[in-house]
Structure formats: structure tokens, C-alpha cells
Amino acid sequence: GYRLYDLGPGLNYNFLFFNLNNLASKQLAEIARKQTWFRELNFRKAISAAIDRAGIIRLTYQGRATPLWGHVTPGNKLWVNSALPQPPQSLARARQFLEAAGFSWNDEGTLIDSEGKTVEFSIITSAGNAQRLQIATILQEDLRQLGMRVHVVALEFRALLDRLFQTHNYEACVLALGSGDADPNPEMNVWLSSGNTHLWNLGQSQASTPWEAEIDRLLQQQLTTLKYEERKRLYDRVQQLVAENLPFLFLASPNILVGAKEGLGNFRPANLDHYTLWNVEELFWPKKQAHPTR
């Protein structure tokens, strides 16, 4: 028979993020208007507080995933900052953040901004990924409880990437990132201001906020630091800055599931790629034992 192994969370993370790019095009005026909400930290904090991460784990992954509040998953034991706060879902706290940012509710319970405009936006995600589509639908329901009108738009993956990296014609997106390496350096293209996967303020040559400038400095510093303990301290601070400023709202990291035929010798799956074949030269099938015949 076969045996299933649940290795716990890997390095991949799912997250929600808003369009925080500099929109020069007049064709995107409606998105640019909504960016006044998206750029408000308390608005993003409210969304994060309203998200039912436990529900995402239960409904999307049947319990085989880990909720996230930062970009390094618990599967990356060497680098995860385990001191980051992990507040549970709280609609009451979410409403406090919205009120602090100048939002209110009309008589029908619909959320409106300081100009009286209804808070309504769409979340794009990949049509080919059933799990992310389901996550977006759960977010839609979570945010409906705050009086937000959220629409889920499923796009073919190439069309999704075109909107994210070329036209910037989107309001919010559910995406996943991950590298096959536990070390922070492969992630620098995401977190450096000038990185080519720096999905907010994409294409800028230097940081546009003090906290982004600090992340840039810390990442460059850890790049030339030899001692692991010192690098870890620097990267813990990067994780803290990301978690406090929420350019991404982290959701969940799916567990790595692998299967193997019972009896395979030296089979020791790991949560780094390649999960099952990293020690392929050591795998073996035991020789069949001879049995006495009648």
C-alpha cells in the first residue's frame, strides 16, 4: 500500500495585496481614486483583522495548512520570526481601524468613505488555481461583514501577470510566492524597492517610504554579513517591518503532502524542494526475504 506524509508548511505563502502602484494613466482614474483607501494603513489593518484565516485553512485546505501573519512560514525554521503577533479574526477591531481612517456606515450597513462613496473593489486571481479562487471567495464573504462590496474576478494566469506587471489595471489580487531556498537572498527581488517582483510601487528605483528604505538597508546589510545570528537579527527586523506596514496581507501556507509506497528504504521526505528525491541515491527497495517452502 501507499502512505501519505504531511510535512507541515513549506516555503510558499498565499497573500492578498492592493494596487499601490503610481498610476499615471488617465484610463485608470477609478482605480487611482480607490487607492486613497488602499494606501491608508488602517484600511489594510482592518482588512487583515477581518480575515478568517482559520476558515481559509479549514475550507480551502481541509486543515492541511498553516495561517500566516508574515512572509516567512513556520516551515522555514531557520529564518522565521516567531515573535510576530498573530491576532485572531476580530470584526470589532477591524471596525475600529476603519473608523480611525475616516470610514463610516450608512443606514443599510454599507461602508462609505469620508466623501460618502461606497467602498467597493474587485479581487483578481488565477482561474486555474481552485484554492486561490476559493480563498478570494472567503475574503469576499469576510469583507461583506464589514459592509464592503467585493467582486472576485478569475483571470487566465498570463492575463493576470499582464495586469500586475504591465498595465496595473487591477484593484486587489490574491497571489502566492515562494522559493525553493530557505535563505532570504532569493526573496530580495520581492522586498527590495527596486526588485522586479516588488509588487507595490513596481518599477521604482528607490524607496518611497522610510520603512521601505529601512528594509532596503537591512537586506543589503545581511547580504554581506557572515554570521548567521546577525543575519537572523536583521531579517527578523525585515519581517517585523513588513508585518507592521502590510504591503501584503498574508493568509496561509499550504502543507506539503507527499506519498510513497510502503517499504521504500531510506525514504526521508523534507519540506524543501525536492521534497522526496533529495536523497535519491540512498533510496532502495529491500530484497525479498526467502521463506522456507513446504
Side-chain angles (χ1 to χ4, degrees):
Y2 277 85
R3 184 174 163 198
L4 177 72
Y5 296 79
D6 184 338
L7 307 180
L11 305 185
N12 289 8
Y13 50 93
N14 290 292
F15 57 99
L16 168 73
F17 65 103
F18 293 96
N19 186 342
L20 300 177
N21 295 296
N22 186 10
L23 300 180
S25 167
K26 290 196 172 67
Q27 296 165 319
L28 302 177
E30 183 61 15
I31 299 174
R33 181 183 70 78
K34 295 179 183 182
Q35 282 186 322
T36 56
W37 312 334
F38 305 156
R39 291 189 190 283
E40 175 61 60
L41 179 57
N42 276 327
F43 179 83
R44 302 198 300 276
K45 281 183 173 179
I47 303 257
S48 185
I51 293 171
D52 182 8
R53 289 170 176 82
I56 289 173
I57 307 297
R58 190 176 64 252
L59 297 169
T60 305
Y61 297 105
Q62 286 70 54
R64 295 188 182 274
T66 302
L68 293 181
W69 287 265
H71 65 277
V72 181
T73 76
N76 191 346
K77 294 182 175 63
L78 275 178
W79 294 101
V80 65
N81 181 351
S82 50
L84 292 183
Q86 300 183 0
Q89 180 194 29
S90 169
L91 292 173
R93 209 171 69 253
R95 290 192 182 96
Q96 287 171 355
F97 285 133
L98 289 170
E99 285 171 354
F103 293 87
S104 57
W105 290 264
N106 65 16
D107 294 342
E108 286 85 53
T110 303
L111 187 68
I112 54 175
D113 66 13
S114 56
E115 295 176 359
K117 293 207 163 63
T118 300
V119 175
E120 185 171 4
F121 59 89
S122 59
I123 298 175
I124 63 171
T125 195
S126 170
N129 190 297
Q131 291 172 327
R132 287 205 283 281
L133 205 48
Q134 189 168 11
I135 288 173
T137 308
I138 292 169
L139 295 176
Q140 179 184 41
E141 177 56 27
D142 289 343
L143 299 178
R144 189 185 64 76
Q145 296 181 69
L146 285 179
M148 297 184 191
R149 292 180 187 162
V150 177
H151 311 280
V152 175
V153 180
L155 297 172
E156 187 267 326
F157 192 59
R158 226 171 315 173
L160 181 88
L161 293 181
D162 184 63
R163 292 201 187 200
L164 296 182
F165 290 99
Q166 304 300 327
T167 65
H168 301 323
N169 183 9
Y170 72 97
E171 292 170 350
C173 176
V174 170
L175 197 66
L177 286 174
S179 85
D181 193 337
D183 193 89
N185 289 338
E187 286 263 301
M188 285 179 70
N189 62 322
V190 180
W191 302 111
L192 275 181
S193 298
S194 56
N196 57 6
T197 324
H198 187 81
L199 286 160
W200 73 103
N201 292 327
L202 192 65
Q204 64 183 356
S205 55
Q206 61 185 47
S208 52
T209 60
W211 63 269
E212 285 178 272
E214 187 178 352
I215 286 178
D216 287 356
R217 184 178 57 73
L218 292 164
L219 285 174
Q220 298 292 2
Q221 203 177 334
Q222 67 81 33
L223 195 59
T224 55
T225 300
L226 298 178
K227 281 190 174 169
Y228 161 74
E229 292 77 13
E230 181 60 15
R231 286 186 74 205
K232 172 79 165 77
R233 188 183 66 77
L234 296 168
Y235 201 54
D236 275 357
R237 176 65 180 153
V238 170
Q239 293 171 65
Q240 184 187 351
L241 285 164
V242 170
E244 285 172 357
N245 292 282
L246 294 175
F248 296 172
L249 280 63
F250 302 97
L251 305 170
S253 178
N255 288 6
I256 292 163
L257 307 174
V258 299
K261 210 168 178 184
E262 285 180 352
L264 179 60
N266 272 341
F267 184 65
R268 299 197 301 275
N271 68 353
L272 292 179
D273 211 9
H274 191 282
Y275 311 123
T276 55
L277 299 179
W278 64 273
N279 65 334
V280 64
E281 68 284 350
E282 296 178 355
L283 300 178
F284 69 95
W285 292 110
K287 288 179 181 169
K288 286 185 177 169
Q289 302 291 314
H291 295 286
T293 57
R294 288 168 72 172

